[in-house]
Amino acid sequence: MMKYDVIIIGAGPAGLSAAIYSARSGLKTAVFERGLIGGQINVTEEVENYPGFPEALSGYELTERMHRQAEHFGTEFKDEEVTALGMEGLCKIVETSDNKYRARAVIFCTGAYPRRLNVPGEEKFTGRGVSYCATCDGALYRDKIVAVIGGGDSAIEEGIFLTHFAKKVVVIHRRDELRAQKIIQERAFKNPKMEFVWNSVVQEIRGENKVQELEVYNRKTNTVSVIPVDGVFIYVGILPNNKLMESRIDLDSAGFALTDDFMHTNVPGVYAAGDIRKKVLRQVVTATSDGAIAGWSAEKWITENYDAIQL
Ligand code: NAP
């Protein structure tokens, strides 16, 4: 069985940063990733708030740099999906569809994924007008009308991005004020292509072969209206990728991992970093910070417990 000091699950910014700190401190480190290295930020066109890059760069470029840095310090990358985490004393058993591995410490950097609206038509039209990624699909809507659902940073930022293509972007939000940061709100309110439908929720996404209209319910006036659109981008929050954690790791009521300041979970030698953690700000900068702390903490914990771990 392959043995590692540290196994990191997930290769987004948190996992890559954890790998840089772990591998650089001399630990044999592997990162497991079932999808693309870089994680969610890969699909972000411009990251303009990661310190040190005033000219902004794409999410892909930023994480590709982190990937190279982690490899430079000796991190191994494995494109296998982790299916189970077991314990044998202090030793962790990481199972994938193909193999079993032993590790002294495990760092969960499994991230999060977009919440669904769960309305009729959403699943049927996913990929045919329903999207969760403006960067991926926005260019398909040149001179078209699109709706954005949600009032958070993602909805409003991506809505602004969509105005580069669409002739009109209709933001449909369930309250009468946005949750997004003020600077982003101001940009949106100034944008002549953006319209706002307040106090409203989508009840149904309809069309023939692709999205053509939304049925929208106004919660204040109790009225139903139909908005013709060519596409709908759904940004109503994120959910944790916590499947491997459920029975063992303490989670908050929304399913995000609870850690201490050292990113340590309730299980000795098991850490969590990045979007999978309960935290106030989910950003690349906070993910890389978490990852650094987790990598550093794992090294300290392994050193202190070295003789007790039967790898
Ligand atoms: P979010 O902040 O949780 O916002 C979700 C939005 O969707 C809220 O406006 C919420 O309405 C609405 N919503 C939730 N469930 C809904 C439903 N069933 N039907 C209709 N509307 C619903 O999520 P997010 O925008 O994805 O952001 C996630 C995190 O990433 C946040 O911490 C955010 O600050 C951060 N982020 C930051 C940046 C940046 O700094 N540049 C960019 C993107 C994301 P209510 O407001 O009524 O709850």
Side-chain angles (χ1 to χ4, degrees), residues 50-83:
Y50 192 74
F53 295 90
E55 69 286 356
L57 74 180
S58 72
Y60 173 77
E61 195 187 341
L62 181 58
T63 54
E64 182 42 37
R65 284 169 185 239
M66 294 178 192
H67 178 197
R68 274 190 272 133
Q69 209 170 348
E71 274 188 334
H72 169 76
F73 292 118
T75 306
E76 291 176 36
F77 284 84
K78 295 190 180 288
D79 56 355
E80 291 171 43
E81 176 164 6
V82 177
T83 51

PDB file of all heavy atoms in Angstrom, residues 50-83:
ATOM      1  N   TYR A  50      -6.938  39.184  -5.609  1.00  0.00           N
ATOM      2  CA  TYR A  50      -5.908  38.366  -4.973  1.00  0.00           C
ATOM      3  C   TYR A  50      -4.656  39.229  -4.851  1.00  0.00           C
ATOM      4  O   TYR A  50      -4.124  39.683  -5.878  1.00  0.00           O
ATOM      5  CB  TYR A  50      -5.621  37.109  -5.799  1.00  0.00           C
ATOM      6  CG  TYR A  50      -4.789  36.111  -5.035  1.00  0.00           C
ATOM      7  CD1 TYR A  50      -5.349  35.366  -4.005  1.00  0.00           C
ATOM      8  CD2 TYR A  50      -3.440  35.940  -5.314  1.00  0.00           C
ATOM      9  CE1 TYR A  50      -4.581  34.472  -3.273  1.00  0.00           C
ATOM     10  CE2 TYR A  50      -2.674  35.041  -4.594  1.00  0.00           C
ATOM     11  CZ  TYR A  50      -3.250  34.309  -3.575  1.00  0.00           C
ATOM     12  OH  TYR A  50      -2.492  33.425  -2.851  1.00  0.00           O
ATOM     13  N   PRO A  51      -4.211  39.503  -3.625  1.00  0.00           N
ATOM     14  CA  PRO A  51      -3.118  40.467  -3.468  1.00  0.00           C
ATOM     15  C   PRO A  51      -1.867  40.072  -4.251  1.00  0.00           C
ATOM     16  O   PRO A  51      -1.523  38.890  -4.341  1.00  0.00           O
ATOM     17  CB  PRO A  51      -2.841  40.436  -1.957  1.00  0.00           C
ATOM     18  CG  PRO A  51      -4.112  39.968  -1.347  1.00  0.00           C
ATOM     19  CD  PRO A  51      -4.697  39.002  -2.327  1.00  0.00           C
ATOM     20  N   GLY A  52      -1.230  41.073  -4.818  1.00  0.00           N
ATOM     21  CA  GLY A  52       0.011  40.825  -5.548  1.00  0.00           C
ATOM     22  C   GLY A  52      -0.171  40.771  -7.047  1.00  0.00           C
ATOM     23  O   GLY A  52       0.808  40.675  -7.788  1.00  0.00           O
ATOM     24  N   PHE A  53      -1.428  40.817  -7.511  1.00  0.00           N
ATOM     25  CA  PHE A  53      -1.676  40.764  -8.954  1.00  0.00           C
ATOM     26  C   PHE A  53      -2.581  41.928  -9.363  1.00  0.00           C
ATOM     27  O   PHE A  53      -3.753  41.740  -9.689  1.00  0.00           O
ATOM     28  CB  PHE A  53      -2.312  39.423  -9.341  1.00  0.00           C
ATOM     29  CG  PHE A  53      -1.401  38.259  -9.111  1.00  0.00           C
ATOM     30  CD1 PHE A  53      -1.411  37.596  -7.886  1.00  0.00           C
ATOM     31  CD2 PHE A  53      -0.502  37.860 -10.087  1.00  0.00           C
ATOM     32  CE1 PHE A  53      -0.549  36.532  -7.664  1.00  0.00           C
ATOM     33  CE2 PHE A  53       0.358  36.792  -9.870  1.00  0.00           C
ATOM     34  CZ  PHE A  53       0.333  36.127  -8.652  1.00  0.00           C
ATOM     35  N   PRO A  54      -2.054  43.156  -9.312  1.00  0.00           N
ATOM     36  CA  PRO A  54      -2.891  44.326  -9.574  1.00  0.00           C
ATOM     37  C   PRO A  54      -3.456  44.341 -10.996  1.00  0.00           C
ATOM     38  O   PRO A  54      -4.499  44.959 -11.238  1.00  0.00           O
ATOM     39  CB  PRO A  54      -1.944  45.510  -9.349  1.00  0.00           C
ATOM     40  CG  PRO A  54      -0.573  44.951  -9.488  1.00  0.00           C
ATOM     41  CD  PRO A  54      -0.660  43.527  -9.038  1.00  0.00           C
ATOM     42  N   GLU A  55      -2.830  43.643 -11.901  1.00  0.00           N
ATOM     43  CA  GLU A  55      -3.305  43.649 -13.293  1.00  0.00           C
ATOM     44  C   GLU A  55      -4.383  42.591 -13.509  1.00  0.00           C
ATOM     45  O   GLU A  55      -4.909  42.456 -14.604  1.00  0.00           O
ATOM     46  CB  GLU A  55      -2.124  43.437 -14.262  1.00  0.00           C
ATOM     47  CG  GLU A  55      -1.481  42.063 -14.251  1.00  0.00           C
ATOM     48  CD  GLU A  55      -0.617  41.781 -13.015  1.00  0.00           C
ATOM     49  OE1 GLU A  55      -0.426  42.670 -12.163  1.00  0.00           O
ATOM     50  OE2 GLU A  55      -0.128  40.651 -12.901  1.00  0.00           O
ATOM     51  N   ALA A  56      -4.733  41.833 -12.470  1.00  0.00           N
ATOM     52  CA  ALA A  56      -5.728  40.762 -12.527  1.00  0.00           C
ATOM     53  C   ALA A  56      -5.248  39.631 -13.437  1.00  0.00           C
ATOM     54  O   ALA A  56      -4.480  39.857 -14.380  1.00  0.00           O
ATOM     55  CB  ALA A  56      -7.110  41.247 -12.989  1.00  0.00           C
ATOM     56  N   LEU A  57      -5.653  38.418 -13.119  1.00  0.00           N
ATOM     57  CA  LEU A  57      -5.314  37.274 -13.960  1.00  0.00           C
ATOM     58  C   LEU A  57      -6.457  36.277 -13.870  1.00  0.00           C
ATOM     59  O   LEU A  57      -7.339  36.403 -13.014  1.00  0.00           O
ATOM     60  CB  LEU A  57      -3.965  36.662 -13.566  1.00  0.00           C
ATOM     61  CG  LEU A  57      -3.821  35.838 -12.300  1.00  0.00           C
ATOM     62  CD1 LEU A  57      -2.392  35.350 -12.166  1.00  0.00           C
ATOM     63  CD2 LEU A  57      -4.227  36.551 -11.060  1.00  0.00           C
ATOM     64  N   SER A  58      -6.473  35.307 -14.767  1.00  0.00           N
ATOM     65  CA  SER A  58      -7.606  34.371 -14.772  1.00  0.00           C
ATOM     66  C   SER A  58      -7.431  33.386 -13.615  1.00  0.00           C
ATOM     67  O   SER A  58      -6.309  33.135 -13.138  1.00  0.00           O
ATOM     68  CB  SER A  58      -7.671  33.623 -16.091  1.00  0.00           C
ATOM     69  OG  SER A  58      -6.613  32.695 -16.173  1.00  0.00           O
ATOM     70  N   GLY A  59      -8.562  32.813 -13.185  1.00  0.00           N
ATOM     71  CA  GLY A  59      -8.515  31.814 -12.122  1.00  0.00           C
ATOM     72  C   GLY A  59      -7.632  30.646 -12.524  1.00  0.00           C
ATOM     73  O   GLY A  59      -6.870  30.115 -11.722  1.00  0.00           O
ATOM     74  N   TYR A  60      -7.716  30.272 -13.798  1.00  0.00           N
ATOM     75  CA  TYR A  60      -6.905  29.149 -14.289  1.00  0.00           C
ATOM     76  C   TYR A  60      -5.419  29.461 -14.161  1.00  0.00           C
ATOM     77  O   TYR A  60      -4.631  28.654 -13.673  1.00  0.00           O
ATOM     78  CB  TYR A  60      -7.258  28.843 -15.755  1.00  0.00           C
ATOM     79  CG  TYR A  60      -6.334  27.818 -16.351  1.00  0.00           C
ATOM     80  CD1 TYR A  60      -6.488  26.473 -16.056  1.00  0.00           C
ATOM     81  CD2 TYR A  60      -5.266  28.220 -17.161  1.00  0.00           C
ATOM     82  CE1 TYR A  60      -5.605  25.534 -16.559  1.00  0.00           C
ATOM     83  CE2 TYR A  60      -4.380  27.289 -17.669  1.00  0.00           C
ATOM     84  CZ  TYR A  60      -4.562  25.942 -17.365  1.00  0.00           C
ATOM     85  OH  TYR A  60      -3.676  25.019 -17.854  1.00  0.00           O
ATOM     86  N   GLU A  61      -5.038  30.675 -14.574  1.00  0.00           N
ATOM     87  CA  GLU A  61      -3.615  31.031 -14.526  1.00  0.00           C
ATOM     88  C   GLU A  61      -3.101  31.071 -13.083  1.00  0.00           C
ATOM     89  O   GLU A  61      -2.006  30.608 -12.775  1.00  0.00           O
ATOM     90  CB  GLU A  61      -3.408  32.382 -15.213  1.00  0.00           C
ATOM     91  CG  GLU A  61      -1.950  32.636 -15.519  1.00  0.00           C
ATOM     92  CD  GLU A  61      -1.684  34.045 -16.036  1.00  0.00           C
ATOM     93  OE1 GLU A  61      -2.627  34.706 -16.499  1.00  0.00           O
ATOM     94  OE2 GLU A  61      -0.517  34.469 -15.948  1.00  0.00           O
ATOM     95  N   LEU A  62      -3.933  31.611 -12.206  1.00  0.00           N
ATOM     96  CA  LEU A  62      -3.530  31.712 -10.801  1.00  0.00           C
ATOM     97  C   LEU A  62      -3.300  30.323 -10.195  1.00  0.00           C
ATOM     98  O   LEU A  62      -2.267  30.070  -9.557  1.00  0.00           O
ATOM     99  CB  LEU A  62      -4.610  32.470 -10.017  1.00  0.00           C
ATOM    100  CG  LEU A  62      -4.354  32.691  -8.532  1.00  0.00           C
ATOM    101  CD1 LEU A  62      -3.050  33.458  -8.291  1.00  0.00           C
ATOM    102  CD2 LEU A  62      -5.520  33.458  -7.890  1.00  0.00           C
ATOM    103  N   THR A  63      -4.242  29.399 -10.425  1.00  0.00           N
ATOM    104  CA  THR A  63      -4.088  28.084  -9.806  1.00  0.00           C
ATOM    105  C   THR A  63      -3.022  27.248 -10.527  1.00  0.00           C
ATOM    106  O   THR A  63      -2.402  26.386  -9.915  1.00  0.00           O
ATOM    107  CB  THR A  63      -5.427  27.320  -9.741  1.00  0.00           C
ATOM    108  OG1 THR A  63      -5.988  27.266 -11.042  1.00  0.00           O
ATOM    109  CG2 THR A  63      -6.377  27.984  -8.771  1.00  0.00           C
ATOM    110  N   GLU A  64      -2.820  27.516 -11.818  1.00  0.00           N
ATOM    111  CA  GLU A  64      -1.763  26.803 -12.534  1.00  0.00           C
ATOM    112  C   GLU A  64      -0.397  27.174 -11.936  1.00  0.00           C
ATOM    113  O   GLU A  64       0.482  26.332 -11.783  1.00  0.00           O
ATOM    114  CB  GLU A  64      -1.829  27.119 -14.045  1.00  0.00           C
ATOM    115  CG  GLU A  64      -0.830  26.409 -14.923  1.00  0.00           C
ATOM    116  CD  GLU A  64      -0.607  24.936 -14.594  1.00  0.00           C
ATOM    117  OE1 GLU A  64      -1.563  24.241 -14.226  1.00  0.00           O
ATOM    118  OE2 GLU A  64       0.559  24.485 -14.681  1.00  0.00           O
ATOM    119  N   ARG A  65      -0.256  28.434 -11.544  1.00  0.00           N
ATOM    120  CA  ARG A  65       0.993  28.851 -10.874  1.00  0.00           C
ATOM    121  C   ARG A  65       1.154  28.132  -9.536  1.00  0.00           C
ATOM    122  O   ARG A  65       2.239  27.688  -9.175  1.00  0.00           O
ATOM    123  CB  ARG A  65       0.971  30.359 -10.605  1.00  0.00           C
ATOM    124  CG  ARG A  65       1.228  31.188 -11.837  1.00  0.00           C
ATOM    125  CD  ARG A  65       0.920  32.646 -11.543  1.00  0.00           C
ATOM    126  NE  ARG A  65       1.041  33.447 -12.733  1.00  0.00           N
ATOM    127  CZ  ARG A  65       1.870  34.469 -12.861  1.00  0.00           C
ATOM    128  NH1 ARG A  65       2.632  34.837 -11.851  1.00  0.00           N
ATOM    129  NH2 ARG A  65       1.934  35.140 -13.984  1.00  0.00           N
ATOM    130  N   MET A  66       0.048  28.018  -8.789  1.00  0.00           N
ATOM    131  CA  MET A  66       0.102  27.322  -7.494  1.00  0.00           C
ATOM    132  C   MET A  66       0.446  25.846  -7.702  1.00  0.00           C
ATOM    133  O   MET A  66       1.201  25.262  -6.934  1.00  0.00           O
ATOM    134  CB  MET A  66      -1.257  27.432  -6.787  1.00  0.00           C
ATOM    135  CG  MET A  66      -1.637  28.832  -6.382  1.00  0.00           C
ATOM    136  SD  MET A  66      -3.284  28.785  -5.604  1.00  0.00           S
ATOM    137  CE  MET A  66      -3.664  30.526  -5.561  1.00  0.00           C
ATOM    138  N   HIS A  67      -0.128  25.261  -8.748  1.00  0.00           N
ATOM    139  CA  HIS A  67       0.120  23.853  -9.080  1.00  0.00           C
ATOM    140  C   HIS A  67       1.618  23.630  -9.341  1.00  0.00           C
ATOM    141  O   HIS A  67       2.244  22.727  -8.788  1.00  0.00           O
ATOM    142  CB  HIS A  67      -0.723  23.514 -10.316  1.00  0.00           C
ATOM    143  CG  HIS A  67      -0.547  22.121 -10.833  1.00  0.00           C
ATOM    144  ND1 HIS A  67      -0.940  21.755 -12.086  1.00  0.00           N
ATOM    145  CD2 HIS A  67      -0.023  21.009 -10.276  1.00  0.00           C
ATOM    146  CE1 HIS A  67      -0.662  20.473 -12.285  1.00  0.00           C
ATOM    147  NE2 HIS A  67      -0.108  20.006 -11.196  1.00  0.00           N
ATOM    148  N   ARG A  68       2.186  24.488 -10.165  1.00  0.00           N
ATOM    149  CA  ARG A  68       3.625  24.363 -10.482  1.00  0.00           C
ATOM    150  C   ARG A  68       4.472  24.503  -9.225  1.00  0.00           C
ATOM    151  O   ARG A  68       5.452  23.795  -9.026  1.00  0.00           O
ATOM    152  CB  ARG A  68       4.037  25.427 -11.498  1.00  0.00           C
ATOM    153  CG  ARG A  68       3.788  24.975 -12.940  1.00  0.00           C
ATOM    154  CD  ARG A  68       4.420  25.921 -13.920  1.00  0.00           C
ATOM    155  NE  ARG A  68       3.512  26.996 -14.261  1.00  0.00           N
ATOM    156  CZ  ARG A  68       3.813  28.288 -14.289  1.00  0.00           C
ATOM    157  NH1 ARG A  68       5.039  28.684 -14.001  1.00  0.00           N
ATOM    158  NH2 ARG A  68       2.909  29.190 -14.613  1.00  0.00           N
ATOM    159  N   GLN A  69       4.053  25.432  -8.358  1.00  0.00           N
ATOM    160  CA  GLN A  69       4.796  25.677  -7.122  1.00  0.00           C
ATOM    161  C   GLN A  69       4.743  24.430  -6.219  1.00  0.00           C
ATOM    162  O   GLN A  69       5.755  24.047  -5.624  1.00  0.00           O
ATOM    163  CB  GLN A  69       4.139  26.857  -6.411  1.00  0.00           C
ATOM    164  CG  GLN A  69       5.063  27.685  -5.559  1.00  0.00           C
ATOM    165  CD  GLN A  69       4.329  28.960  -5.114  1.00  0.00           C
ATOM    166  OE1 GLN A  69       3.247  29.291  -5.619  1.00  0.00           O
ATOM    167  NE2 GLN A  69       4.925  29.663  -4.167  1.00  0.00           N
ATOM    168  N   ALA A  70       3.575  23.808  -6.135  1.00  0.00           N
ATOM    169  CA  ALA A  70       3.425  22.612  -5.298  1.00  0.00           C
ATOM    170  C   ALA A  70       4.271  21.471  -5.863  1.00  0.00           C
ATOM    171  O   ALA A  70       4.939  20.738  -5.118  1.00  0.00           O
ATOM    172  CB  ALA A  70       1.958  22.202  -5.224  1.00  0.00           C
ATOM    173  N   GLU A  71       4.270  21.315  -7.185  1.00  0.00           N
ATOM    174  CA  GLU A  71       5.077  20.260  -7.813  1.00  0.00           C
ATOM    175  C   GLU A  71       6.566  20.518  -7.606  1.00  0.00           C
ATOM    176  O   GLU A  71       7.336  19.598  -7.363  1.00  0.00           O
ATOM    177  CB  GLU A  71       4.772  20.197  -9.316  1.00  0.00           C
ATOM    178  CG  GLU A  71       3.580  19.308  -9.609  1.00  0.00           C
ATOM    179  CD  GLU A  71       3.370  19.056 -11.091  1.00  0.00           C
ATOM    180  OE1 GLU A  71       3.790  19.907 -11.912  1.00  0.00           O
ATOM    181  OE2 GLU A  71       2.771  18.028 -11.420  1.00  0.00           O
ATOM    182  N   HIS A  72       6.932  21.779  -7.671  1.00  0.00           N
ATOM    183  CA  HIS A  72       8.332  22.166  -7.487  1.00  0.00           C
ATOM    184  C   HIS A  72       8.880  21.667  -6.143  1.00  0.00           C
ATOM    185  O   HIS A  72      10.023  21.272  -6.029  1.00  0.00           O
ATOM    186  CB  HIS A  72       8.432  23.695  -7.587  1.00  0.00           C
ATOM    187  CG  HIS A  72       9.738  24.258  -7.160  1.00  0.00           C
ATOM    188  ND1 HIS A  72      10.856  24.181  -7.951  1.00  0.00           N
ATOM    189  CD2 HIS A  72      10.119  24.900  -6.019  1.00  0.00           C
ATOM    190  CE1 HIS A  72      11.871  24.748  -7.310  1.00  0.00           C
ATOM    191  NE2 HIS A  72      11.439  25.192  -6.141  1.00  0.00           N
ATOM    192  N   PHE A  73       8.009  21.630  -5.123  1.00  0.00           N
ATOM    193  CA  PHE A  73       8.452  21.177  -3.800  1.00  0.00           C
ATOM    194  C   PHE A  73       8.238  19.669  -3.608  1.00  0.00           C
ATOM    195  O   PHE A  73       8.421  19.150  -2.519  1.00  0.00           O
ATOM    196  CB  PHE A  73       7.738  21.966  -2.690  1.00  0.00           C
ATOM    197  CG  PHE A  73       8.159  23.409  -2.644  1.00  0.00           C
ATOM    198  CD1 PHE A  73       7.237  24.422  -2.870  1.00  0.00           C
ATOM    199  CD2 PHE A  73       9.479  23.755  -2.400  1.00  0.00           C
ATOM    200  CE1 PHE A  73       7.622  25.750  -2.839  1.00  0.00           C
ATOM    201  CE2 PHE A  73       9.878  25.085  -2.373  1.00  0.00           C
ATOM    202  CZ  PHE A  73       8.944  26.088  -2.599  1.00  0.00           C
ATOM    203  N   GLY A  74       7.824  18.980  -4.661  1.00  0.00           N
ATOM    204  CA  GLY A  74       7.768  17.516  -4.617  1.00  0.00           C
ATOM    205  C   GLY A  74       6.393  16.915  -4.402  1.00  0.00           C
ATOM    206  O   GLY A  74       6.271  15.697  -4.205  1.00  0.00           O
ATOM    207  N   THR A  75       5.345  17.714  -4.460  1.00  0.00           N
ATOM    208  CA  THR A  75       3.993  17.158  -4.291  1.00  0.00           C
ATOM    209  C   THR A  75       3.648  16.222  -5.444  1.00  0.00           C
ATOM    210  O   THR A  75       3.929  16.539  -6.598  1.00  0.00           O
ATOM    211  CB  THR A  75       2.949  18.301  -4.287  1.00  0.00           C
ATOM    212  OG1 THR A  75       3.327  19.242  -3.303  1.00  0.00           O
ATOM    213  CG2 THR A  75       1.546  17.772  -4.005  1.00  0.00           C
ATOM    214  N   GLU A  76       3.041  15.082  -5.122  1.00  0.00           N
ATOM    215  CA  GLU A  76       2.533  14.179  -6.166  1.00  0.00           C
ATOM    216  C   GLU A  76       1.051  14.470  -6.377  1.00  0.00           C
ATOM    217  O   GLU A  76       0.319  14.654  -5.402  1.00  0.00           O
ATOM    218  CB  GLU A  76       2.689  12.720  -5.727  1.00  0.00           C
ATOM    219  CG  GLU A  76       4.136  12.268  -5.659  1.00  0.00           C
ATOM    220  CD  GLU A  76       4.256  10.841  -5.133  1.00  0.00           C
ATOM    221  OE1 GLU A  76       3.385  10.002  -5.448  1.00  0.00           O
ATOM    222  OE2 GLU A  76       5.220  10.601  -4.389  1.00  0.00           O
ATOM    223  N   PHE A  77       0.611  14.484  -7.628  1.00  0.00           N
ATOM    224  CA  PHE A  77      -0.807  14.703  -7.934  1.00  0.00           C
ATOM    225  C   PHE A  77      -1.414  13.423  -8.485  1.00  0.00           C
ATOM    226  O   PHE A  77      -0.808  12.760  -9.332  1.00  0.00           O
ATOM    227  CB  PHE A  77      -0.969  15.840  -8.939  1.00  0.00           C
ATOM    228  CG  PHE A  77      -0.779  17.189  -8.297  1.00  0.00           C
ATOM    229  CD1 PHE A  77       0.497  17.725  -8.119  1.00  0.00           C
ATOM    230  CD2 PHE A  77      -1.868  17.905  -7.829  1.00  0.00           C
ATOM    231  CE1 PHE A  77       0.674  18.947  -7.492  1.00  0.00           C
ATOM    232  CE2 PHE A  77      -1.699  19.131  -7.206  1.00  0.00           C
ATOM    233  CZ  PHE A  77      -0.427  19.659  -7.034  1.00  0.00           C
ATOM    234  N   LYS A  78      -2.591  13.069  -7.981  1.00  0.00           N
ATOM    235  CA  LYS A  78      -3.260  11.840  -8.431  1.00  0.00           C
ATOM    236  C   LYS A  78      -4.686  12.163  -8.845  1.00  0.00           C
ATOM    237  O   LYS A  78      -5.430  12.764  -8.077  1.00  0.00           O
ATOM    238  CB  LYS A  78      -3.288  10.818  -7.294  1.00  0.00           C
ATOM    239  CG  LYS A  78      -1.881  10.372  -6.918  1.00  0.00           C
ATOM    240  CD  LYS A  78      -1.907   9.204  -5.989  1.00  0.00           C
ATOM    241  CE  LYS A  78      -0.507   8.781  -5.623  1.00  0.00           C
ATOM    242  NZ  LYS A  78       0.211   8.115  -6.719  1.00  0.00           N
ATOM    243  N   ASP A  79      -5.032  11.778 -10.084  1.00  0.00           N
ATOM    244  CA  ASP A  79      -6.403  12.054 -10.540  1.00  0.00           C
ATOM    245  C   ASP A  79      -7.314  10.879 -10.222  1.00  0.00           C
ATOM    246  O   ASP A  79      -7.847  10.223 -11.112  1.00  0.00           O
ATOM    247  CB  ASP A  79      -6.429  12.445 -12.028  1.00  0.00           C
ATOM    248  CG  ASP A  79      -5.787  11.396 -12.915  1.00  0.00           C
ATOM    249  OD1 ASP A  79      -5.249  10.411 -12.358  1.00  0.00           O
ATOM    250  OD2 ASP A  79      -5.817  11.534 -14.140  1.00  0.00           O
ATOM    251  N   GLU A  80      -7.429  10.615  -8.938  1.00  0.00           N
ATOM    252  CA  GLU A  80      -8.309   9.548  -8.453  1.00  0.00           C
ATOM    253  C   GLU A  80      -9.315  10.170  -7.504  1.00  0.00           C
ATOM    254  O   GLU A  80      -8.977  11.072  -6.743  1.00  0.00           O
ATOM    255  CB  GLU A  80      -7.504   8.504  -7.670  1.00  0.00           C
ATOM    256  CG  GLU A  80      -6.563   7.693  -8.524  1.00  0.00           C
ATOM    257  CD  GLU A  80      -5.640   6.822  -7.673  1.00  0.00           C
ATOM    258  OE1 GLU A  80      -6.097   6.211  -6.704  1.00  0.00           O
ATOM    259  OE2 GLU A  80      -4.435   6.804  -7.992  1.00  0.00           O
ATOM    260  N   GLU A  81     -10.539   9.645  -7.540  1.00  0.00           N
ATOM    261  CA  GLU A  81     -11.563  10.141  -6.622  1.00  0.00           C
ATOM    262  C   GLU A  81     -11.482   9.383  -5.304  1.00  0.00           C
ATOM    263  O   GLU A  81     -11.501   8.147  -5.280  1.00  0.00           O
ATOM    264  CB  GLU A  81     -12.962   9.975  -7.233  1.00  0.00           C
ATOM    265  CG  GLU A  81     -14.034  10.397  -6.252  1.00  0.00           C
ATOM    266  CD  GLU A  81     -15.392  10.621  -6.888  1.00  0.00           C
ATOM    267  OE1 GLU A  81     -15.551  10.347  -8.093  1.00  0.00           O
ATOM    268  OE2 GLU A  81     -16.280  11.088  -6.156  1.00  0.00           O
ATOM    269  N   VAL A  82     -11.362  10.119  -4.209  1.00  0.00           N
ATOM    270  CA  VAL A  82     -11.359   9.474  -2.899  1.00  0.00           C
ATOM    271  C   VAL A  82     -12.794   9.060  -2.579  1.00  0.00           C
ATOM    272  O   VAL A  82     -13.726   9.856  -2.678  1.00  0.00           O
ATOM    273  CB  VAL A  82     -10.800  10.428  -1.814  1.00  0.00           C
ATOM    274  CG1 VAL A  82     -10.878   9.783  -0.438  1.00  0.00           C
ATOM    275  CG2 VAL A  82      -9.358  10.810  -2.150  1.00  0.00           C
ATOM    276  N   THR A  83     -12.953   7.778  -2.196  1.00  0.00           N
ATOM    277  CA  THR A  83     -14.309   7.258  -1.954  1.00  0.00           C
ATOM    278  C   THR A  83     -14.581   7.004  -0.481  1.00  0.00           C
ATOM    279  O   THR A  83     -15.743   6.899  -0.083  1.00  0.00           O
ATOM    280  CB  THR A  83     -14.536   5.960  -2.748  1.00  0.00           C
ATOM    281  OG1 THR A  83     -13.435   5.078  -2.460  1.00  0.00           O
ATOM    282  CG2 THR A  83     -14.592   6.228  -4.241  1.00  0.00           C
TER     283      THR A  83
END
